[in-house]
Amino acid sequence: MTDSLTAPDPWGPLRHMTPARIGLGRAGDAPPLKTVLDFQFAHAKARDAVHAALDTEAIAAAFPGRAILQVKSAAPNRAAYLRRPDLGRQLDPDSRALLEASAGSACDVVFVISDGLSATAVRDHAVPFVQACLERFTRWRIGPLVIATQARVALADEVGALLGARICASVIGERPGLSVADSLGVYLTYGPRVGRRDSERNCISNIHPHGGLTSAQAADRLLWLTGEALRRNVTGVALKDDGGEAPFLDATVVNGI
Amino acid sequence: MASYVSAIGNERFHFPDLAALLAAASPRRSGDELAGIAANSDSERVAARFCLADLPLQTFLDEAVVPYESDEVTRLIIDSHDSLAFAPIAHLTVGGFRDWLLSYTADAPALAALAPGVTPEMAAAVSKLMRNQDLIAAARKCQVTSAFRNTLGLPGRLASRLQPNHPTDDLKGIAVSCLDGLMFGVGDAVIGVNPASDSVPNCMAILEMLDELRQQYDIPTQTCVLTHVTNALQMMERGAPVDLVFQSVAGTQAANRGFGIDLAVLDEAYAAALGLKRGTIGQNVMYFETGQGAALSANAHHGVDQQTLEARAYAVARRYKPLIVNTVVGFIGPEYLYDGKQIARAGLEDHFCGKLMGLPMGADVCYTNHAEADQDDMDTLMTLLTAAGVTFLIAVPGADDIMLNYQSLSFHDMLYLRSTFGVRGAPEFEAWLERMDMVSPGGRLRELSPQGAGARLLAFAKETR
């Protein structure tokens, strides 16, 4: 089949139309080995992102001069975290005591940086994103910066409540896909307290450098959302319905985190 | 309500009610553990199975696991039960039913006649007493055919859904993935797109493109945009070419409310789709998706294990004589099915229960990146399901769904199954592949070459706006 070495790829002009794995070719019935290994590498990247431990000290060191609180969820390890989403939404007792002891004067906004399902995304993108937010959030009282491990989105509800925050921004690693393993999301919840429903949050998803939102773009959107939420005392479906532009959290998204 | 005791040797195990007994008898899975209803030990699990084996099947007609008064799915199950069809097994226990299913008496005609007499709880209960090979052997004997523009479920056949999703619903992008799949002979069950955006105009644009593709090449298959049933109703009102109405369904009224549906809205959509009379060979116009864990994730599980609730979703599906039903078995994540072993077991259970209840049952053999599973586990499950005679499987380009961010089967996998097991596509679709000169004389799909007939199809993507 020397022809195949010289014949033009019939898929050539079509490949740019989709990121899907089209026109892979065949080895008999099977995909060619290179495409198999490409796939395995992408899956390995995604799994590594899920199972990586977040270097919380490195995140803390990027915010000199700012009060930092490091907390853990009630999920003792990654295996428990994956099986028991309910534990990932609760603080462990020591962390709860730390937050209770740290609660000072009330604040407007608390940022909670959580590993979620991609510590890789948090390691690579959380610092520039939160820095971009802090540069923009000059008109509000910002609470201590909280860094949480084995954490789901809703862990920030209890954190925000204990710190007396009017609104809470949960910055978290999203479930990795094969094409993007380092996507960051941020979930905004007005009046954080235990038991908030997913429909009471707004979400900005896909913050990553592979065709997603840049830190600056995402921070601009979060600034607008936070301003509207604090002005109207609400987040979630209600904010979307009137605001028009605000992305409303799809409950299926948060189920994954 | 009765409680149940199992005594083995000097050990006694107590199960407070029927739901608790069923949950304890279930093979171990993370979703039941998350719900706090799984067996506390392996011994307790097997003790529950001993107890379940002695339970008369009639019990499931006398005692509901979800209350009749407050749940319309229970009312559907009880009110539509066919006692005449049930008669041949009415005297049996759950254990006796397992033996009967594996006996030579239980052949294809006997199983087809029995289906309307089997409630979801009976199917789920007996499946808990069956090993994987039992689930395969019994399901393989069930023959369920359905038809729209082709015939699905004939013996020796394996159909496939072509799933050409795109992260921004770009029509050219969707078209290119469609053509890639058609070159592999994939798409006889349905060419079905999960839209990234559920807006009705967007769904209509995708549907019109798919219909144009189908008509231009006279492909004997059906197309579908998998959007909410209320959107499908709007699309039909606006004259869109809706072949199949899609909906995710679950096994309790409350879980279905979480999906934004009830039986009334499904009735309405079913009537509307039948009224379009778009099927040429048959009038099976519905497409349902299910998956273990859906009810728990909606906080609507009533203390019932996820596999029993999954079977109850099939009672909803069979009311509408669907063309296809599939369990999206590994999609929901590790908190419901932790690893490849749990996913494989659930896939075989779902397929068996669906077939036993008379459904044209397929599967999305799949997993997410936070589950303990990989493509080797998918190879195992697709091979087992093909042995079990699954009606159809879902395939996406390179096994990578770039919109829903999970892994399914690839188009290549369908070639592997056809070669290894000798299973063939729907006869009408197979004839089309031959007309298009896409099949070599030996029956194998030709590889694409610039001069080949398949290359003509590629022109469609270039012309799509």
Side-chain angles (χ1 to χ4, degrees):
Chain A
M1 296 289 280
T2 48
D3 275 4
S4 64
L5 296 176
T6 51
D9 174 12
W11 293 100
L14 302 175
R15 285 189 197 281
H16 72 275
M17 293 179 184
T18 177
R21 293 170 196 257
I22 57 155
L24 297 183
R26 285 162 53 186
D29 294 332
L33 181 60
K34 178 172 185 313
T35 71
V36 174
L37 294 176
D38 285 345
F39 183 100
Q40 287 181 3
F41 191 66
H43 184 231
K45 282 282 179 202
R47 283 185 56 80
D48 287 346
V50 169
H51 292 278
L54 181 64
D55 182 350
T56 55
E57 294 302 332
I59 303 278
F63 297 93
R66 190 166 284 279
I68 305 270
L69 296 171
Q70 295 196 24
V71 300
K72 292 175 182 158
S73 82
N77 52 48
R78 210 57 179 165
Y81 175 82
L82 291 174
R83 282 175 190 266
R84 294 285 305 272
D86 53 325
L87 296 182
R89 298 186 192 108
Q90 303 163 26
L91 287 164
D92 85 340
D94 290 349
S95 295
R96 188 173 294 122
L98 172 70
L99 288 168
E100 281 166 351
S102 310
S105 53
C107 56
D108 295 313
V109 185
V110 158
F111 285 89
V112 180
I113 298 176
S114 301
D115 49 3
L117 283 167
S118 175
T120 309
V122 177
R123 180 194 68 194
D124 293 349
H125 313 313
V127 169
F129 170 65
V130 173
Q131 283 173 342
C133 291
L134 292 173
E135 285 164 17
R136 287 164 174 78
F137 281 43
T138 49
R139 55 188 149 132
W140 297 305
R141 294 168 298 164
I142 308 296
L145 182 62
V146 179
I147 304 171
T149 51
Q150 309 296 7
R152 303 255 170 190
V153 170
L155 185 84
D157 292 345
E158 192 175 1
V159 173
L162 288 171
L163 295 178
R166 291 181 67 202
I167 200 163
C168 194
S170 182
V171 179
I172 193 163
E174 299 186 311
R175 192 181 86 195
L178 282 202
S179 47
V180 179
D182 58 344
S183 180
L184 198 68
V186 54
Y187 295 78
L188 195 66
T189 309
Y190 180 82
R193 57 175 159 75
V194 173
R196 280 288 182 204
R197 295 189 306 274
D198 293 339
S199 57
E200 295 174 302
R201 310 182 202 284
N202 293 92
C203 168
I204 300 170
S205 187
N206 280 310
I207 306 168
H208 60 76
H210 321 283
L213 294 173
T214 65
S215 286
Q217 286 171 327
D220 284 341
R221 285 169 77 165
L222 190 68
L223 177 70
W224 181 85
L225 269 177
T226 306
E228 285 299 295
L230 288 175
R231 188 172 66 80
R232 295 164 50 194
N233 299 330
V234 70
T235 46
V237 186
L239 194 54
K240 171 217 182 185
D241 284 348
D242 306 344
E245 288 178 35
F248 152 62
L249 169 61
D250 179 348
T252 59
V253 175
V254 83
N255 280 341
I257 314 182
Chain B
M1 200 178 283
S3 73
Y4 301 90
V5 174
S6 184
I8 304 173
N10 55 5
E11 284 189 287
R12 285 172 65 83
F13 299 88
H14 178 247
F15 308 99
D17 58 28
L18 187 56
L21 178 66
L22 287 167
S26 292
R28 185 179 178 195
R29 66 201 49 186
S30 49
D32 291 338
E33 291 171 333
L34 179 62
I37 57 176
N40 293 306
S41 66
D42 286 341
S43 308
E44 186 184 59
R45 181 170 292 116
V46 180
R49 289 179 189 164
F50 273 111
C51 190
L52 187 59
D54 290 338
L55 196 71
L57 287 174
Q58 178 67 34
T59 311
F60 296 103
L61 298 174
D62 301 336
E63 192 173 333
V65 292
V66 181
Y68 180 93
E69 296 72 22
S70 60
D71 189 284
E72 67 171 359
V73 178
T74 302
R75 291 197 290 278
L76 170 66
I77 292 165
I78 298 297
D79 298 350
S80 66
H81 183 248
D82 184 338
S83 52
L84 227 65
F86 178 61
I89 59 166
H91 62 290
L92 294 177
T93 60
V94 180
F97 187 28
R98 179 263 182 194
D99 292 347
W100 183 88
L101 283 168
L102 296 172
S103 74
Y104 304 143
T105 311
D107 56 9
L111 287 163
L114 176 70
V118 177
T119 68
E121 290 83 359
M122 293 176 196
V126 75
S127 79
K128 296 175 196 299
L129 303 181
M130 296 167 78
R131 284 170 45 194
N132 285 0
Q133 69 159 278
D134 300 344
L135 297 173
I136 292 168
R140 188 177 174 83
K141 294 195 285 184
C142 299
Q143 281 177 25
V144 181
T145 56
S146 59
F148 191 79
R149 287 196 192 95
N150 55 31
T151 314
L152 303 176
L154 295 169
R157 306 277 174 170
L158 169 65
S160 52
R161 169 182 163 196
L162 199 171
Q163 183 169 300
N165 296 343
H166 187 279
T168 59
D169 292 334
D170 180 81
L171 294 183
K172 273 179 180 285
I174 292 170
V176 171
S177 289
C178 282
L179 301 172
D180 193 33
L182 288 169
M183 305 294 177
F184 284 82
V186 169
D188 45 353
V190 65
I191 301 176
V193 174
N194 299 88
S197 161
D198 266 326
S199 88
V200 168
N202 179 62
C203 292
M204 285 179 68
I206 299 170
L207 203 53
E208 280 156 12
M209 184 276 286
L210 294 177
D211 197 57
E212 193 185 328
L213 169 67
R214 180 188 65 79
Q215 293 205 46
Q216 185 165 333
Y217 294 97
D218 198 20
I219 311 172
T221 190
Q222 33 285 331
T223 63
C224 186
V225 172
L226 285 76
T227 186
H228 195 265
V229 64
T230 52
N231 286 349
L233 276 164
Q234 283 192 45
M235 292 198 290
M236 287 188 279
E237 273 170 26
R238 297 187 200 180
V242 175
D243 287 345
L244 304 181
V245 169
F246 168 82
Q247 183 56 49
S248 295
V249 294
T252 68
Q253 180 176 332
N256 281 327
R257 197 186 307 124
F259 283 140
I261 60 159
D262 56 20
L263 297 179
V265 75
L266 292 177
D267 286 352
E268 185 186 349
Y270 180 48
L274 280 177
L276 297 180
K277 296 188 166 55
R278 291 177 60 84
T280 50
I281 294 194
Q283 285 295 327
N284 300 111
V285 295
M286 302 297 278
Y287 174 13
F288 294 110
E289 275 188 355
T290 65
Q292 292 189 24
L296 175 57
S297 84
N299 284 321
H301 64 98
H302 298 271
V304 179
D305 69 272
Q306 65 184 34
Q307 190 255 333
T308 299
L309 292 177
E310 168 75 4
R312 283 169 56 95
Y314 305 154
V316 175
R318 75 173 164 183
R319 175 179 172 88
Y320 304 102
K321 303 178 174 59
L323 180 76
I324 44 176
V325 179
N326 74 264
T327 169
V328 197
V329 67
F331 186 73
I332 194 159
E335 61 267 45
Y336 301 95
L337 295 168
Y338 187 68
D339 57 14
K341 181 181 172 77
Q342 293 189 5
I343 292 170
R345 172 72 197 184
L348 292 175
E349 289 167 347
D350 295 352
H351 175 250
F352 162 78
C353 289
K355 282 281 169 73
L356 184 62
M357 291 174 61
L359 288 176
M361 200 69 199
D364 190 356
V365 173
C366 63
Y367 63 103
T368 57
N369 285 319
H370 58 324
E372 286 298 314
D374 61 20
Q375 227 57 33
D376 286 338
D377 296 300
M378 302 304 104
D379 290 346
T380 303
L381 181 53
M382 72 175 164
T383 301
L384 295 176
L385 282 170
T386 302
V390 69
T391 302
F392 75 104
L393 296 170
I394 288 179
V396 305
D400 175 11
D401 190 305
I402 53 171
M403 198 283 281
L404 294 170
N405 271 325
Y406 76 117
Q407 286 84 254
S408 178
L409 300 183
S410 72
F411 300 143
H412 298 78
D413 292 330
M414 298 308 299
L415 295 187
Y416 150 76
L417 293 169
R418 294 196 191 296
S419 291
T420 306
F421 289 92
V423 286
R424 298 156 60 188
E428 301 84 354
F429 192 81
E430 203 174 42
W432 174 78
L433 290 171
E434 282 166 19
R435 282 203 300 281
M436 291 290 287
D437 198 25
M438 290 163 68
V439 185
S440 65
R444 291 190 189 278
L445 264 292
R446 292 186 197 280
E447 289 205 55
L448 181 64
S449 74
Q451 298 80 26
R456 280 190 286 140
L457 274 173
L458 292 186
F460 182 85
K462 292 172 188 156
E463 290 156 13
T464 300
R465 287 178 303 281

